Amino acid sequence: AIVGAAGVHTTLAAAKRGSTILLANKESLVIAGDLVNAVVAQNNARILPVDSEHSSLYRLLSPAAGSAQPNAEWRRVRRAYLTASGGPLLHVHGEAFYNASKALVLKHPTWVMGQKITVDSAGLTNKALEIIEAHYLFRLPYEKIQAVIHPQSYVHALLEASDGTVTQHVSHPDMRYPIAFAMYHPEDPKVCVTDRPPASYPAFEFMPVDEAKFRSYALGRRAGIQGKYFPAVYNAANEAAVAAFLDDNIRFGEISELIEAALAAKYDEWDITSLDGLISYDNAARALVQFAHRQEQRADH
């Protein structure tokens, strides 16, 4: 559950021990997905996702399986959807979106979370990170993983079968569900939340992601598809840009601009099959973002 790139070392250490890992640190797979999966396989470790979307997708894809491994049934999946609430800026557009205040960005309509992930949610950056995580968790190609905006946050994942039918996994927006599922797995979790009848649920809405507005999301999807060091650069640039935003050094809209600059930059060639090499790309991207926003501050003054 360590936030950000700092969690990768712990995930790898647990995998080398052959442990069952209850993973809430999506950055472990975003930065080093191939490496983590290789170490997990070599040591007979196992990853159980704790993020609500991935926990739901795990249940939909493999309700009785002991590990998240692809099988014949999964190949019949036409598309897997991770839901996004749309965050506090869902109905904010244009200049108001670009210049959104920190107070507004941190006012999530559904979830109570830490500041960093709340900023990520406002720009849908977290959904791009989750798509990359899902790619490595479930070995699904990127064209089969999409995001859909669902403001009520009751549906956490959807699975479209080859015949066009769609299965949804539904629960109240409460993290006790996925945490208990992972902690008690493979046994049924103990009752951890008061029973709530479906008649108490709100009406469900779904809408597509506007990739022109949520530019960080589009950049993250592209970084995942490009593979190699790009997901590590994407994550590092975002962490550095979000830190600058939270420190009141940049505007909200500049987060995606700094991420785009980091993804377009040229770097020294480091070994992407090693954690040291991937961390080198991570450090370089952070340095680039920090330098860029300092230069902009000087220009403003």
PDB file of all heavy atoms in Angstrom, residues 249-287:
ATOM      1  N   ASN A 249       2.835  25.435  -7.355  1.00  0.00           N
ATOM      2  CA  ASN A 249       3.849  25.915  -8.294  1.00  0.00           C
ATOM      3  C   ASN A 249       3.400  25.872  -9.752  1.00  0.00           C
ATOM      4  O   ASN A 249       3.993  26.531 -10.603  1.00  0.00           O
ATOM      5  CB  ASN A 249       5.133  25.105  -8.142  1.00  0.00           C
ATOM      6  CG  ASN A 249       5.841  25.385  -6.833  1.00  0.00           C
ATOM      7  OD1 ASN A 249       5.828  26.519  -6.350  1.00  0.00           O
ATOM      8  ND2 ASN A 249       6.451  24.371  -6.244  1.00  0.00           N
ATOM      9  N   ILE A 250       2.393  25.074 -10.057  1.00  0.00           N
ATOM     10  CA  ILE A 250       1.865  25.003 -11.422  1.00  0.00           C
ATOM     11  C   ILE A 250       0.347  24.960 -11.367  1.00  0.00           C
ATOM     12  O   ILE A 250      -0.249  24.684 -10.326  1.00  0.00           O
ATOM     13  CB  ILE A 250       2.388  23.761 -12.199  1.00  0.00           C
ATOM     14  CG1 ILE A 250       1.896  22.463 -11.544  1.00  0.00           C
ATOM     15  CG2 ILE A 250       3.908  23.786 -12.314  1.00  0.00           C
ATOM     16  CD1 ILE A 250       2.178  21.213 -12.376  1.00  0.00           C
ATOM     17  N   ARG A 251      -0.276  25.231 -12.523  1.00  0.00           N
ATOM     18  CA  ARG A 251      -1.725  25.113 -12.635  1.00  0.00           C
ATOM     19  C   ARG A 251      -2.095  23.657 -12.929  1.00  0.00           C
ATOM     20  O   ARG A 251      -1.271  22.862 -13.395  1.00  0.00           O
ATOM     21  CB  ARG A 251      -2.228  26.032 -13.746  1.00  0.00           C
ATOM     22  CG  ARG A 251      -2.116  27.511 -13.407  1.00  0.00           C
ATOM     23  CD  ARG A 251      -2.283  28.385 -14.620  1.00  0.00           C
ATOM     24  NE  ARG A 251      -1.140  28.252 -15.528  1.00  0.00           N
ATOM     25  CZ  ARG A 251      -0.999  28.936 -16.661  1.00  0.00           C
ATOM     26  NH1 ARG A 251      -1.932  29.803 -17.019  1.00  0.00           N
ATOM     27  NH2 ARG A 251       0.059  28.756 -17.415  1.00  0.00           N
ATOM     28  N   PHE A 252      -3.345  23.324 -12.689  1.00  0.00           N
ATOM     29  CA  PHE A 252      -3.789  21.940 -12.864  1.00  0.00           C
ATOM     30  C   PHE A 252      -3.545  21.463 -14.299  1.00  0.00           C
ATOM     31  O   PHE A 252      -3.068  20.344 -14.514  1.00  0.00           O
ATOM     32  CB  PHE A 252      -5.269  21.804 -12.501  1.00  0.00           C
ATOM     33  CG  PHE A 252      -5.800  20.413 -12.685  1.00  0.00           C
ATOM     34  CD1 PHE A 252      -5.476  19.404 -11.798  1.00  0.00           C
ATOM     35  CD2 PHE A 252      -6.621  20.119 -13.770  1.00  0.00           C
ATOM     36  CE1 PHE A 252      -5.950  18.114 -11.974  1.00  0.00           C
ATOM     37  CE2 PHE A 252      -7.112  18.836 -13.956  1.00  0.00           C
ATOM     38  CZ  PHE A 252      -6.771  17.829 -13.058  1.00  0.00           C
ATOM     39  N   GLY A 253      -3.871  22.286 -15.260  1.00  0.00           N
ATOM     40  CA  GLY A 253      -3.726  21.889 -16.655  1.00  0.00           C
ATOM     41  C   GLY A 253      -2.290  21.649 -17.087  1.00  0.00           C
ATOM     42  O   GLY A 253      -2.042  20.988 -18.105  1.00  0.00           O
ATOM     43  N   GLU A 254      -1.351  22.204 -16.336  1.00  0.00           N
ATOM     44  CA  GLU A 254       0.057  22.011 -16.688  1.00  0.00           C
ATOM     45  C   GLU A 254       0.552  20.601 -16.352  1.00  0.00           C
ATOM     46  O   GLU A 254       1.612  20.190 -16.843  1.00  0.00           O
ATOM     47  CB  GLU A 254       0.922  23.049 -15.981  1.00  0.00           C
ATOM     48  CG  GLU A 254       0.712  24.463 -16.503  1.00  0.00           C
ATOM     49  CD  GLU A 254       1.530  25.482 -15.736  1.00  0.00           C
ATOM     50  OE1 GLU A 254       2.710  25.683 -16.097  1.00  0.00           O
ATOM     51  OE2 GLU A 254       1.003  26.080 -14.782  1.00  0.00           O
ATOM     52  N   ILE A 255      -0.187  19.868 -15.531  1.00  0.00           N
ATOM     53  CA  ILE A 255       0.226  18.498 -15.211  1.00  0.00           C
ATOM     54  C   ILE A 255       0.352  17.681 -16.486  1.00  0.00           C
ATOM     55  O   ILE A 255       1.379  17.030 -16.739  1.00  0.00           O
ATOM     56  CB  ILE A 255      -0.759  17.835 -14.233  1.00  0.00           C
ATOM     57  CG1 ILE A 255      -0.724  18.533 -12.876  1.00  0.00           C
ATOM     58  CG2 ILE A 255      -0.432  16.341 -14.079  1.00  0.00           C
ATOM     59  CD1 ILE A 255      -1.771  18.027 -11.892  1.00  0.00           C
ATOM     60  N   SER A 256      -0.669  17.710 -17.332  1.00  0.00           N
ATOM     61  CA  SER A 256      -0.625  16.922 -18.565  1.00  0.00           C
ATOM     62  C   SER A 256       0.445  17.447 -19.520  1.00  0.00           C
ATOM     63  O   SER A 256       1.078  16.664 -20.254  1.00  0.00           O
ATOM     64  CB  SER A 256      -1.992  16.911 -19.257  1.00  0.00           C
ATOM     65  OG  SER A 256      -2.390  18.216 -19.625  1.00  0.00           O
ATOM     66  N   GLU A 257       0.674  18.774 -19.534  1.00  0.00           N
ATOM     67  CA  GLU A 257       1.708  19.331 -20.411  1.00  0.00           C
ATOM     68  C   GLU A 257       3.092  18.838 -20.003  1.00  0.00           C
ATOM     69  O   GLU A 257       3.934  18.508 -20.861  1.00  0.00           O
ATOM     70  CB  GLU A 257       1.652  20.854 -20.361  1.00  0.00           C
ATOM     71  CG  GLU A 257       0.368  21.425 -20.945  1.00  0.00           C
ATOM     72  CD  GLU A 257       0.247  22.934 -20.773  1.00  0.00           C
ATOM     73  OE1 GLU A 257       1.096  23.522 -20.069  1.00  0.00           O
ATOM     74  OE2 GLU A 257      -0.705  23.514 -21.327  1.00  0.00           O
ATOM     75  N   LEU A 258       3.354  18.783 -18.707  1.00  0.00           N
ATOM     76  CA  LEU A 258       4.655  18.301 -18.229  1.00  0.00           C
ATOM     77  C   LEU A 258       4.814  16.806 -18.499  1.00  0.00           C
ATOM     78  O   LEU A 258       5.908  16.340 -18.850  1.00  0.00           O
ATOM     79  CB  LEU A 258       4.804  18.602 -16.743  1.00  0.00           C
ATOM     80  CG  LEU A 258       4.980  20.084 -16.399  1.00  0.00           C
ATOM     81  CD1 LEU A 258       4.811  20.318 -14.899  1.00  0.00           C
ATOM     82  CD2 LEU A 258       6.356  20.582 -16.857  1.00  0.00           C
ATOM     83  N   ILE A 259       3.744  16.050 -18.341  1.00  0.00           N
ATOM     84  CA  ILE A 259       3.802  14.620 -18.662  1.00  0.00           C
ATOM     85  C   ILE A 259       4.123  14.427 -20.141  1.00  0.00           C
ATOM     86  O   ILE A 259       4.974  13.605 -20.512  1.00  0.00           O
ATOM     87  CB  ILE A 259       2.467  13.927 -18.315  1.00  0.00           C
ATOM     88  CG1 ILE A 259       2.238  13.895 -16.803  1.00  0.00           C
ATOM     89  CG2 ILE A 259       2.441  12.506 -18.881  1.00  0.00           C
ATOM     90  CD1 ILE A 259       0.854  13.414 -16.406  1.00  0.00           C
ATOM     91  N   GLU A 260       3.455  15.193 -20.999  1.00  0.00           N
ATOM     92  CA  GLU A 260       3.685  15.063 -22.436  1.00  0.00           C
ATOM     93  C   GLU A 260       5.130  15.403 -22.798  1.00  0.00           C
ATOM     94  O   GLU A 260       5.756  14.730 -23.622  1.00  0.00           O
ATOM     95  CB  GLU A 260       2.713  15.962 -23.196  1.00  0.00           C
ATOM     96  CG  GLU A 260       2.762  15.755 -24.699  1.00  0.00           C
ATOM     97  CD  GLU A 260       1.574  16.377 -25.401  1.00  0.00           C
ATOM     98  OE1 GLU A 260       0.924  17.275 -24.826  1.00  0.00           O
ATOM     99  OE2 GLU A 260       1.281  15.954 -26.536  1.00  0.00           O
ATOM    100  N   ALA A 261       5.670  16.437 -22.160  1.00  0.00           N
ATOM    101  CA  ALA A 261       7.066  16.810 -22.422  1.00  0.00           C
ATOM    102  C   ALA A 261       8.024  15.703 -21.989  1.00  0.00           C
ATOM    103  O   ALA A 261       8.999  15.401 -22.690  1.00  0.00           O
ATOM    104  CB  ALA A 261       7.393  18.109 -21.695  1.00  0.00           C
ATOM    105  N   ALA A 262       7.748  15.083 -20.856  1.00  0.00           N
ATOM    106  CA  ALA A 262       8.618  14.011 -20.366  1.00  0.00           C
ATOM    107  C   ALA A 262       8.563  12.798 -21.286  1.00  0.00           C
ATOM    108  O   ALA A 262       9.585  12.152 -21.547  1.00  0.00           O
ATOM    109  CB  ALA A 262       8.209  13.613 -18.953  1.00  0.00           C
ATOM    110  N   LEU A 263       7.380  12.464 -21.809  1.00  0.00           N
ATOM    111  CA  LEU A 263       7.253  11.318 -22.707  1.00  0.00           C
ATOM    112  C   LEU A 263       7.935  11.572 -24.053  1.00  0.00           C
ATOM    113  O   LEU A 263       8.398  10.635 -24.708  1.00  0.00           O
ATOM    114  CB  LEU A 263       5.773  10.994 -22.939  1.00  0.00           C
ATOM    115  CG  LEU A 263       5.034  10.388 -21.744  1.00  0.00           C
ATOM    116  CD1 LEU A 263       3.537  10.320 -22.025  1.00  0.00           C
ATOM    117  CD2 LEU A 263       5.575   9.002 -21.413  1.00  0.00           C
ATOM    118  N   ALA A 264       8.014  12.847 -24.444  1.00  0.00           N
ATOM    119  CA  ALA A 264       8.627  13.188 -25.733  1.00  0.00           C
ATOM    120  C   ALA A 264      10.145  13.355 -25.639  1.00  0.00           C
ATOM    121  O   ALA A 264      10.835  13.410 -26.663  1.00  0.00           O
ATOM    122  CB  ALA A 264       8.006  14.469 -26.280  1.00  0.00           C
ATOM    123  N   ALA A 265      10.666  13.443 -24.442  1.00  0.00           N
ATOM    124  CA  ALA A 265      12.096  13.718 -24.253  1.00  0.00           C
ATOM    125  C   ALA A 265      12.965  12.529 -24.644  1.00  0.00           C
ATOM    126  O   ALA A 265      12.511  11.372 -24.671  1.00  0.00           O
ATOM    127  CB  ALA A 265      12.357  14.092 -22.792  1.00  0.00           C
ATOM    128  N   LYS A 266      14.219  12.812 -24.940  1.00  0.00           N
ATOM    129  CA  LYS A 266      15.219  11.781 -25.227  1.00  0.00           C
ATOM    130  C   LYS A 266      16.016  11.504 -23.953  1.00  0.00           C
ATOM    131  O   LYS A 266      16.420  12.431 -23.251  1.00  0.00           O
ATOM    132  CB  LYS A 266      16.155  12.234 -26.350  1.00  0.00           C
ATOM    133  CG  LYS A 266      15.458  12.518 -27.672  1.00  0.00           C
ATOM    134  CD  LYS A 266      14.796  11.268 -28.248  1.00  0.00           C
ATOM    135  CE  LYS A 266      14.148  11.577 -29.610  1.00  0.00           C
ATOM    136  NZ  LYS A 266      13.435  10.393 -30.146  1.00  0.00           N
ATOM    137  N   TYR A 267      16.256  10.240 -23.684  1.00  0.00           N
ATOM    138  CA  TYR A 267      16.965   9.852 -22.469  1.00  0.00           C
ATOM    139  C   TYR A 267      18.170   8.989 -22.830  1.00  0.00           C
ATOM    140  O   TYR A 267      18.238   8.421 -23.929  1.00  0.00           O
ATOM    141  CB  TYR A 267      16.034   9.050 -21.548  1.00  0.00           C
ATOM    142  CG  TYR A 267      14.819   9.817 -21.087  1.00  0.00           C
ATOM    143  CD1 TYR A 267      13.600   9.703 -21.769  1.00  0.00           C
ATOM    144  CD2 TYR A 267      14.872  10.655 -19.985  1.00  0.00           C
ATOM    145  CE1 TYR A 267      12.486  10.403 -21.356  1.00  0.00           C
ATOM    146  CE2 TYR A 267      13.745  11.363 -19.560  1.00  0.00           C
ATOM    147  CZ  TYR A 267      12.560  11.235 -20.251  1.00  0.00           C
ATOM    148  OH  TYR A 267      11.457  11.934 -19.842  1.00  0.00           O
ATOM    149  N   ASP A 268      19.101   8.896 -21.897  1.00  0.00           N
ATOM    150  CA  ASP A 268      20.156   7.903 -22.049  1.00  0.00           C
ATOM    151  C   ASP A 268      19.513   6.522 -22.089  1.00  0.00           C
ATOM    152  O   ASP A 268      18.385   6.331 -21.615  1.00  0.00           O
ATOM    153  CB  ASP A 268      21.139   7.986 -20.871  1.00  0.00           C
ATOM    154  CG  ASP A 268      21.966   9.267 -20.889  1.00  0.00           C
ATOM    155  OD1 ASP A 268      22.090   9.877 -21.976  1.00  0.00           O
ATOM    156  OD2 ASP A 268      22.455   9.669 -19.818  1.00  0.00           O
ATOM    157  N   GLU A 269      20.220   5.562 -22.658  1.00  0.00           N
ATOM    158  CA  GLU A 269      19.664   4.214 -22.751  1.00  0.00           C
ATOM    159  C   GLU A 269      20.089   3.393 -21.542  1.00  0.00           C
ATOM    160  O   GLU A 269      21.269   3.083 -21.373  1.00  0.00           O
ATOM    161  CB  GLU A 269      20.113   3.547 -24.052  1.00  0.00           C
ATOM    162  CG  GLU A 269      19.518   4.212 -25.288  1.00  0.00           C
ATOM    163  CD  GLU A 269      19.834   3.444 -26.565  1.00  0.00           C
ATOM    164  OE1 GLU A 269      20.367   2.315 -26.463  1.00  0.00           O
ATOM    165  OE2 GLU A 269      19.553   3.975 -27.650  1.00  0.00           O
ATOM    166  N   TRP A 270      19.097   3.059 -20.704  1.00  0.00           N
ATOM    167  CA  TRP A 270      19.350   2.199 -19.545  1.00  0.00           C
ATOM    168  C   TRP A 270      18.665   0.855 -19.758  1.00  0.00           C
ATOM    169  O   TRP A 270      17.794   0.712 -20.621  1.00  0.00           O
ATOM    170  CB  TRP A 270      18.832   2.877 -18.277  1.00  0.00           C
ATOM    171  CG  TRP A 270      19.587   4.114 -17.904  1.00  0.00           C
ATOM    172  CD1 TRP A 270      20.872   4.183 -17.451  1.00  0.00           C
ATOM    173  CD2 TRP A 270      19.118   5.471 -17.934  1.00  0.00           C
ATOM    174  NE1 TRP A 270      21.229   5.492 -17.198  1.00  0.00           N
ATOM    175  CE2 TRP A 270      20.167   6.305 -17.483  1.00  0.00           C
ATOM    176  CE3 TRP A 270      17.904   6.066 -18.286  1.00  0.00           C
ATOM    177  CZ2 TRP A 270      20.049   7.685 -17.382  1.00  0.00           C
ATOM    178  CZ3 TRP A 270      17.777   7.439 -18.189  1.00  0.00           C
ATOM    179  CH2 TRP A 270      18.839   8.240 -17.745  1.00  0.00           C
ATOM    180  N   ASP A 271      19.041  -0.102 -18.964  1.00  0.00           N
ATOM    181  CA  ASP A 271      18.539  -1.468 -19.107  1.00  0.00           C
ATOM    182  C   ASP A 271      17.102  -1.549 -18.580  1.00  0.00           C
ATOM    183  O   ASP A 271      16.878  -1.497 -17.369  1.00  0.00           O
ATOM    184  CB  ASP A 271      19.458  -2.430 -18.331  1.00  0.00           C
ATOM    185  CG  ASP A 271      18.985  -3.873 -18.415  1.00  0.00           C
ATOM    186  OD1 ASP A 271      18.069  -4.164 -19.227  1.00  0.00           O
ATOM    187  OD2 ASP A 271      19.529  -4.714 -17.672  1.00  0.00           O
ATOM    188  N   ILE A 272      16.139  -1.711 -19.489  1.00  0.00           N
ATOM    189  CA  ILE A 272      14.735  -1.741 -19.074  1.00  0.00           C
ATOM    190  C   ILE A 272      14.331  -3.104 -18.505  1.00  0.00           C
ATOM    191  O   ILE A 272      13.189  -3.262 -18.038  1.00  0.00           O
ATOM    192  CB  ILE A 272      13.783  -1.361 -20.225  1.00  0.00           C
ATOM    193  CG1 ILE A 272      13.919  -2.343 -21.399  1.00  0.00           C
ATOM    194  CG2 ILE A 272      14.017   0.070 -20.667  1.00  0.00           C
ATOM    195  CD1 ILE A 272      12.872  -2.118 -22.482  1.00  0.00           C
ATOM    196  N   THR A 273      15.234  -4.063 -18.528  1.00  0.00           N
ATOM    197  CA  THR A 273      14.927  -5.366 -17.926  1.00  0.00           C
ATOM    198  C   THR A 273      15.342  -5.416 -16.454  1.00  0.00           C
ATOM    199  O   THR A 273      15.122  -6.431 -15.795  1.00  0.00           O
ATOM    200  CB  THR A 273      15.618  -6.509 -18.690  1.00  0.00           C
ATOM    201  OG1 THR A 273      17.041  -6.393 -18.540  1.00  0.00           O
ATOM    202  CG2 THR A 273      15.250  -6.474 -20.161  1.00  0.00           C
ATOM    203  N   SER A 274      15.953  -4.342 -15.953  1.00  0.00           N
ATOM    204  CA  SER A 274      16.386  -4.307 -14.556  1.00  0.00           C
ATOM    205  C   SER A 274      15.675  -3.172 -13.826  1.00  0.00           C
ATOM    206  O   SER A 274      15.324  -2.151 -14.430  1.00  0.00           O
ATOM    207  CB  SER A 274      17.901  -4.097 -14.459  1.00  0.00           C
ATOM    208  OG  SER A 274      18.250  -2.756 -14.787  1.00  0.00           O
ATOM    209  N   LEU A 275      15.488  -3.340 -12.529  1.00  0.00           N
ATOM    210  CA  LEU A 275      14.851  -2.281 -11.744  1.00  0.00           C
ATOM    211  C   LEU A 275      15.728  -1.035 -11.710  1.00  0.00           C
ATOM    212  O   LEU A 275      15.229   0.084 -11.799  1.00  0.00           O
ATOM    213  CB  LEU A 275      14.566  -2.769 -10.325  1.00  0.00           C
ATOM    214  CG  LEU A 275      13.829  -1.771  -9.426  1.00  0.00           C
ATOM    215  CD1 LEU A 275      12.505  -1.347 -10.038  1.00  0.00           C
ATOM    216  CD2 LEU A 275      13.621  -2.348  -8.035  1.00  0.00           C
ATOM    217  N   ASP A 276      17.042  -1.221 -11.622  1.00  0.00           N
ATOM    218  CA  ASP A 276      17.943  -0.068 -11.611  1.00  0.00           C
ATOM    219  C   ASP A 276      17.782   0.760 -12.880  1.00  0.00           C
ATOM    220  O   ASP A 276      17.764   1.999 -12.837  1.00  0.00           O
ATOM    221  CB  ASP A 276      19.398  -0.528 -11.464  1.00  0.00           C
ATOM    222  CG  ASP A 276      19.726  -0.990 -10.057  1.00  0.00           C
ATOM    223  OD1 ASP A 276      18.938  -0.681  -9.135  1.00  0.00           O
ATOM    224  OD2 ASP A 276      20.758  -1.653  -9.881  1.00  0.00           O
ATOM    225  N   GLY A 277      17.670   0.079 -14.025  1.00  0.00           N
ATOM    226  CA  GLY A 277      17.497   0.788 -15.279  1.00  0.00           C
ATOM    227  C   GLY A 277      16.180   1.548 -15.335  1.00  0.00           C
ATOM    228  O   GLY A 277      16.132   2.721 -15.751  1.00  0.00           O
ATOM    229  N   LEU A 278      15.106   0.907 -14.898  1.00  0.00           N
ATOM    230  CA  LEU A 278      13.793   1.561 -14.904  1.00  0.00           C
ATOM    231  C   LEU A 278      13.756   2.740 -13.938  1.00  0.00           C
ATOM    232  O   LEU A 278      13.156   3.779 -14.236  1.00  0.00           O
ATOM    233  CB  LEU A 278      12.711   0.542 -14.552  1.00  0.00           C
ATOM    234  CG  LEU A 278      12.473  -0.533 -15.617  1.00  0.00           C
ATOM    235  CD1 LEU A 278      11.640  -1.682 -15.047  1.00  0.00           C
ATOM    236  CD2 LEU A 278      11.797   0.061 -16.854  1.00  0.00           C
ATOM    237  N   ILE A 279      14.400   2.597 -12.784  1.00  0.00           N
ATOM    238  CA  ILE A 279      14.463   3.702 -11.825  1.00  0.00           C
ATOM    239  C   ILE A 279      15.289   4.854 -12.391  1.00  0.00           C
ATOM    240  O   ILE A 279      15.030   6.029 -12.094  1.00  0.00           O
ATOM    241  CB  ILE A 279      15.016   3.229 -10.474  1.00  0.00           C
ATOM    242  CG1 ILE A 279      14.036   2.245  -9.818  1.00  0.00           C
ATOM    243  CG2 ILE A 279      15.289   4.392  -9.533  1.00  0.00           C
ATOM    244  CD1 ILE A 279      12.674   2.828  -9.514  1.00  0.00           C
ATOM    245  N   SER A 280      16.273   4.541 -13.228  1.00  0.00           N
ATOM    246  CA  SER A 280      17.051   5.608 -13.880  1.00  0.00           C
ATOM    247  C   SER A 280      16.147   6.450 -14.781  1.00  0.00           C
ATOM    248  O   SER A 280      16.242   7.688 -14.804  1.00  0.00           O
ATOM    249  CB  SER A 280      18.203   5.017 -14.694  1.00  0.00           C
ATOM    250  OG  SER A 280      19.152   4.413 -13.846  1.00  0.00           O
ATOM    251  N   TYR A 281      15.259   5.782 -15.538  1.00  0.00           N
ATOM    252  CA  TYR A 281      14.298   6.527 -16.356  1.00  0.00           C
ATOM    253  C   TYR A 281      13.349   7.324 -15.461  1.00  0.00           C
ATOM    254  O   TYR A 281      13.007   8.479 -15.766  1.00  0.00           O
ATOM    255  CB  TYR A 281      13.493   5.566 -17.238  1.00  0.00           C
ATOM    256  CG  TYR A 281      14.250   5.084 -18.444  1.00  0.00           C
ATOM    257  CD1 TYR A 281      14.743   3.780 -18.518  1.00  0.00           C
ATOM    258  CD2 TYR A 281      14.466   5.928 -19.537  1.00  0.00           C
ATOM    259  CE1 TYR A 281      15.434   3.337 -19.626  1.00  0.00           C
ATOM    260  CE2 TYR A 281      15.157   5.492 -20.659  1.00  0.00           C
ATOM    261  CZ  TYR A 281      15.641   4.191 -20.695  1.00  0.00           C
ATOM    262  OH  TYR A 281      16.338   3.763 -21.799  1.00  0.00           O
ATOM    263  N   ASP A 282      12.922   6.717 -14.364  1.00  0.00           N
ATOM    264  CA  ASP A 282      12.055   7.394 -13.398  1.00  0.00           C
ATOM    265  C   ASP A 282      12.715   8.675 -12.890  1.00  0.00           C
ATOM    266  O   ASP A 282      12.111   9.765 -12.902  1.00  0.00           O
ATOM    267  CB  ASP A 282      11.770   6.427 -12.233  1.00  0.00           C
ATOM    268  CG  ASP A 282      10.958   7.036 -11.107  1.00  0.00           C
ATOM    269  OD1 ASP A 282      11.503   7.902 -10.371  1.00  0.00           O
ATOM    270  OD2 ASP A 282       9.797   6.650 -10.929  1.00  0.00           O
ATOM    271  N   ASN A 283      13.976   8.576 -12.448  1.00  0.00           N
ATOM    272  CA  ASN A 283      14.691   9.737 -11.911  1.00  0.00           C
ATOM    273  C   ASN A 283      14.874  10.820 -12.963  1.00  0.00           C
ATOM    274  O   ASN A 283      14.742  12.020 -12.684  1.00  0.00           O
ATOM    275  CB  ASN A 283      16.045   9.307 -11.354  1.00  0.00           C
ATOM    276  CG  ASN A 283      15.919   8.476 -10.090  1.00  0.00           C
ATOM    277  OD1 ASN A 283      14.928   8.573  -9.373  1.00  0.00           O
ATOM    278  ND2 ASN A 283      16.921   7.644  -9.822  1.00  0.00           N
ATOM    279  N   ALA A 284      15.183  10.393 -14.193  1.00  0.00           N
ATOM    280  CA  ALA A 284      15.410  11.362 -15.272  1.00  0.00           C
ATOM    281  C   ALA A 284      14.127  12.121 -15.601  1.00  0.00           C
ATOM    282  O   ALA A 284      14.149  13.340 -15.833  1.00  0.00           O
ATOM    283  CB  ALA A 284      15.941  10.649 -16.508  1.00  0.00           C
ATOM    284  N   ALA A 285      13.006  11.418 -15.618  1.00  0.00           N
ATOM    285  CA  ALA A 285      11.735  12.072 -15.919  1.00  0.00           C
ATOM    286  C   ALA A 285      11.350  13.050 -14.819  1.00  0.00           C
ATOM    287  O   ALA A 285      10.846  14.153 -15.093  1.00  0.00           O
ATOM    288  CB  ALA A 285      10.645  11.018 -16.101  1.00  0.00           C
ATOM    289  N   ARG A 286      11.585  12.671 -13.562  1.00  0.00           N
ATOM    290  CA  ARG A 286      11.289  13.585 -12.455  1.00  0.00           C
ATOM    291  C   ARG A 286      12.134  14.852 -12.566  1.00  0.00           C
ATOM    292  O   ARG A 286      11.640  15.969 -12.373  1.00  0.00           O
ATOM    293  CB  ARG A 286      11.580  12.902 -11.117  1.00  0.00           C
ATOM    294  CG  ARG A 286      10.595  11.838 -10.747  1.00  0.00           C
ATOM    295  CD  ARG A 286      11.033  11.097  -9.478  1.00  0.00           C
ATOM    296  NE  ARG A 286      10.288   9.867  -9.340  1.00  0.00           N
ATOM    297  CZ  ARG A 286       9.077   9.788  -8.784  1.00  0.00           C
ATOM    298  NH1 ARG A 286       8.526  10.867  -8.276  1.00  0.00           N
ATOM    299  NH2 ARG A 286       8.451   8.634  -8.718  1.00  0.00           N
ATOM    300  N   ALA A 287      13.429  14.666 -12.855  1.00  0.00           N
ATOM    301  CA  ALA A 287      14.332  15.809 -12.977  1.00  0.00           C
ATOM    302  C   ALA A 287      13.898  16.728 -14.105  1.00  0.00           C
ATOM    303  O   ALA A 287      13.939  17.961 -13.975  1.00  0.00           O
ATOM    304  CB  ALA A 287      15.764  15.324 -13.195  1.00  0.00           C
TER     305      ALA A 287
END
